[in-house]
């Protein structure tokens, strides 16, 4: 039987146009500066496919590694978040339609989505939050459609999406819990007793099960890592500062759109559960000391909701609508350099200083880890600098070893960023590290008799090696503070096998 041709509705066409525009903006603006520390780590992890990793589920590493199938390419890597930003835009537009909005609501929602700083950042570089740009608002859209009477078997798709989201970043569990509480607190709670809801939940658990079993097999390293973050690695914001940070990262001048959306959801009986879910989600973040960007993938839902009353309030006021769009374009666009690497470094530094003086906002206001803002550039921008040059410096030291030593030598990197840079840019050089997934990968059979150590001192305090030689120093003015001046040592004559040392140097953080 021949299927009828697909004919998109006007709303779907409008959403598709908006998604294409967002994709184009990201495709043009994303691939600047260089590979981010975590992106290099994702690629290397993805080249060692597993059901899980110490500090992340498998989806993002696999996508990252696949993007490099034709060779190293920052452009192709950054197309991955561009695609999810485009998909997130499409879903946000369709949510606005589902909430009762028309073309203006769709347009406004798409523009606010694009210029919301934290969402633009998620769509700029690969991170475990990238998939959530699409999956979090899509979860809301599917549930809304189920509540409106769509075939209840849609719970199976919702469950599959939830499972994929869990395999992308564990924080979606907080969203799922918040949505459950939101539904349970409203008359729509009856859908929670539907057998299709139970089956959808089973699908989600089945998809997430391999990763859970992986974590269980290795002693739940993610829990150990999160505990380390609570004990000094992360800066824990008090509740009031956390709420202020939410306003800053979603746009100092455009956050009222999602705030209006939150009010509208709470005031609208059919969608009140989404308003409750947001409040519960933020409460969870405060209780568990989450970073300010952890709940950020939920904002497309609120943005879509906010666009609907703004459309209604301006229905006969075309000049006001034009002014509103212009306002978002101007005040949202002014902060693009903070979320997309479009300015040359020195120009950005001057721009950041000027904006900081005008708004009286310092880097420390939104800092999430100590030391990451101790650089000329913001932490994310700084962490896109120096990696290939650092790897080349390590390569020169490694290649300077006599052939006999080189055959036994291994590079020992101080953290996963350094290790991944060496593995990515100089793949012929063996590298190990005590940090996160690298510790779990172990010594790779090297005995440690000759070690090229990156960013260390040959364990001098432990007297582990008979001799140590400072072979080089790598410096980069734009790198993150603790990577701007990296010593590279040659360590010889290990006094006990590296396999015996390994268990005591594990660093999960």
């Amino acid at each position: 039987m021949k299927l009828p041709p697909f004919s998109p509705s006007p709303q779907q066409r409008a959403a598709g146009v908006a998604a294409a525009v967002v994709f184009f903006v990201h495709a043009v603006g994303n691939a600047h500066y260089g590979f981010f520390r975590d992106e290099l780590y994702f690629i290397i992890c993805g080249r060692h496919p597993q059901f899980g990793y110490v500090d992340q589920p498998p989806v993002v590493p696999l996508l990252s590694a696949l993007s490099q199938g034709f060779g190293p390419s920052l452009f192709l890597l950054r197309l991955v978040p561009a695609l999810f930003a485009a998909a997130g835009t499409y879903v946000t537009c369709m949510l606005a339609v589902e909430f009762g909005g028309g073309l203006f609501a769709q347009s406004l929602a798409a523009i606010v989505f694009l210029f919301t700083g934290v969402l633009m950042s998620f769509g700029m570089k690969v991170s475990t939050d990238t998939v959530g740009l699409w999956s979090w608002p899509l979860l809301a859209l599917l549930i809304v459609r189920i509540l409106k009477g769509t075939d209840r078997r849609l719970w199976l798709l919702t469950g599959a999406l939830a499972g994929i989201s869990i395999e992308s970043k564990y924080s979606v569990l907080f969203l799922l819990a918040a949505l459950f509480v939101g539904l349970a607190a409203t008359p729509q709670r009856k859908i929670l007793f539907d057998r299709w809801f139970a089956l959808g939940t089973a699908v989600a658990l089945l998809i997430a099960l391999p990763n859970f079993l992986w974590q269980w097999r290795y002693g739940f390293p993610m829990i150990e890592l999160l505990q380390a973050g609570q004990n000094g690695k992360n800066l824990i914001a008090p509740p009031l500062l956390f709420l202020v940070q939410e306003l800053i990262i979603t746009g100092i001048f455009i956050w009222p759109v999602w705030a209006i959306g939150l009010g509208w959801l709470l005031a609208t009986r059919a969608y009140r559960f989404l308003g409750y879910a947001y409040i519960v989600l933020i409460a969870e973040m405060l209780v568990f000391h989450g970073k300010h960007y952890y709940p950020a993938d939920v904002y497309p839902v609120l943005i879509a909701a906010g666009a609907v009353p703004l459309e209604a309030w301006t229905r006969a006021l075309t000049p006001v609508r034009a002014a509103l769009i212009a306002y978002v374009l101007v005040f949202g666009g002014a902060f693009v350099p903070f979320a997309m690497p479009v300015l040359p470094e020195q120009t950005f530094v001057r721009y950041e200083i000027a904006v900081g003086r005008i708004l009286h906002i310092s880097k420390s206001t939104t800092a999430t880890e100590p030391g990451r803002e101790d650089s000329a550039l913001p932490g994310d921008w700084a962490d896109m600098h120096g990696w290939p040059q650092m790897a080349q410096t390590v390569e020169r030291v490694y290649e300077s070893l006599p052939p006999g030593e080189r055959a036994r030598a291994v590079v020992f990197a101080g953290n996963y960023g350094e290790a991944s840079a060496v593995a990515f840019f100089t793949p012929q050089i063996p590298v190990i590290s005590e940090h996160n997934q690298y510790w779990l990968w172990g010594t790779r059979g090297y005995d440690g008799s000759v070690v090229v150590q990156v960013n260390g001192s040959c364990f001098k305090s432990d007297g582990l090696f008979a001799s140590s030689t400072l072979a080089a120093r790598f410096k980069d003015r734009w790198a993150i503070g603790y990577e701007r001046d990296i010593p590279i040592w040659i360590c010889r004559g290990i006094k006990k096998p590296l396999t015996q040392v390994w268990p005591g140097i594990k660093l999960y953080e």
Side-chain angles (χ1 to χ4, degrees), residues 14 44 58 89 97-98 108 139 141 147 220 225 250 252 279 293-294 329 333-334 356 391 401 412 490:
I44 301 304
T89 303
V97 172
E98 206 67 42
L108 179 61
L139 283 167
L141 177 61
L147 288 172
F220 293 99
L225 183 143
T250 53
I252 296 174
I279 294 172
Y293 60 86
Y294 283 3
L329 289 172
L401 295 170
F412 187 100
I490 300 175

Side-chain angles (χ1 to χ4, degrees), residues 142-485:
L142 293 174
I143 294 174
V144 167
R145 287 183 172 175
I146 291 170
L147 288 172
K148 286 186 173 183
T150 301
D151 192 329
R152 292 173 300 162
R153 287 176 293 184
L154 196 60
W155 275 121
L156 298 178
L157 178 60
T158 306
L161 180 63
I164 293 170
S165 298
I166 294 170
E167 294 281 35
S168 303
K169 187 170 185 177
Y170 299 122
S171 61
V172 74
L173 292 169
F174 291 105
L175 173 69
L176 296 173
L179 288 169
F180 182 88
V181 172
L183 288 168
T186 63
Q188 289 121 321
R189 68 180 67 90
K190 60 185 179 182
I191 70 167
L192 301 177
F193 300 98
D194 189 318
R195 69 185 181 95
W196 290 106
F197 171 78
L199 290 172
T201 302
V203 170
L205 293 174
L206 187 63
I207 293 174
L209 182 60
N211 180 254
F212 173 84
L213 294 175
W214 187 95
Q215 286 281 333
W216 175 75
R217 177 186 176 188
Y218 292 103
F220 293 99
M222 189 67 190
I223 295 177
E224 185 176 340
L225 183 143
L226 291 173
Q227 290 173 339
Q230 300 295 329
N231 294 325
K233 181 177 183 288
N234 298 334
L235 294 174
I236 298 175
L240 181 58
L241 176 59
F242 183 89
L243 296 177
V244 170
Q245 289 175 340
E246 293 304 294
L247 303 183
I248 293 174
I249 68 173
T250 53
I252 296 174
F253 296 104
I254 63 176
W255 64 263
V257 175
W258 71 255
I260 290 170
L262 175 60
W264 184 82
L265 289 172
L266 292 171
T268 307
R269 181 184 178 91
Y271 310 119
R272 190 169 297 151
F273 77 95
L274 290 172
Y276 288 163
Y278 173 78
I279 294 172
V280 172
L281 180 64
I282 295 301
E284 290 171 335
M285 294 297 109
L286 293 173
V287 170
F288 292 101
H289 304 299
K291 296 180 182 180
H292 54 61
Y293 60 86
Y294 283 3
D297 279 325
V298 77
Y299 285 106
V301 178
L302 275 63
I303 290 169
V308 174
L310 285 169
E311 179 183 61
W313 298 339
T314 60
R315 193 169 302 280
L317 303 170
T318 302
V320 175
R321 287 185 172 183
L324 184 57
I325 294 292
Y327 173 89
V328 176
L329 289 172
V330 170
F331 288 100
F335 291 89
V336 167
F338 293 91
M340 190 176 286
V342 293
L343 294 180
E345 289 84 347
Q346 195 60 58
T347 303
F348 175 83
V349 170
R350 292 194 294 267
Y351 188 76
E352 181 185 37
I353 292 172
V355 171
R357 286 175 178 170
I358 294 171
L359 299 178
H360 303 288
I361 295 177
S362 66
K363 293 180 181 179
S364 61
T365 305
T366 55
T368 59
E369 297 177 16
R372 285 197 58 77
E373 307 305 322
D374 182 23
S375 55
L377 297 170
D380 283 1
W381 289 173
D383 247 345
M384 295 179 184
H385 287 78
W387 297 118
Q389 295 82 6
M390 184 274 291
Q392 290 164 8
T393 304
V394 173
E395 181 182 30
R396 286 195 295 271
V397 173
Y398 179 84
E399 294 295 337
S400 72
L401 295 170
E405 288 191 339
R406 195 185 315 145
R408 295 180 285 122
V410 66
V411 173
F412 187 100
N415 58 59
Y416 67 67
E418 297 159 0
S420 298
V422 172
F424 183 76
F425 292 109
T426 56
Q428 76 279 10
I429 297 177
V431 59
I432 59 176
S433 176
E434 80 274 36
H435 197 196
N436 290 7
Q437 186 64 32
Y438 279 92
W439 180 85
L440 204 57
W441 285 332
T443 65
R444 297 183 56 187
Y446 290 90
D447 60 11
S449 57
V450 181
V451 169
V452 176
Q453 188 175 27
V454 180
N455 219 355
S457 60
C458 291
F459 298 92
K460 286 184 178 180
S461 60
D462 298 325
L464 183 60
F465 289 91
S467 69
S468 59
T469 303
L470 181 60
R473 299 194 79 94
F474 170 74
K475 297 185 179 183
D476 189 301
R477 63 176 297 203
W478 298 118
I480 198 79
Y482 47 84
E483 305 282 5
R484 277 204 303 266
D485 185 5

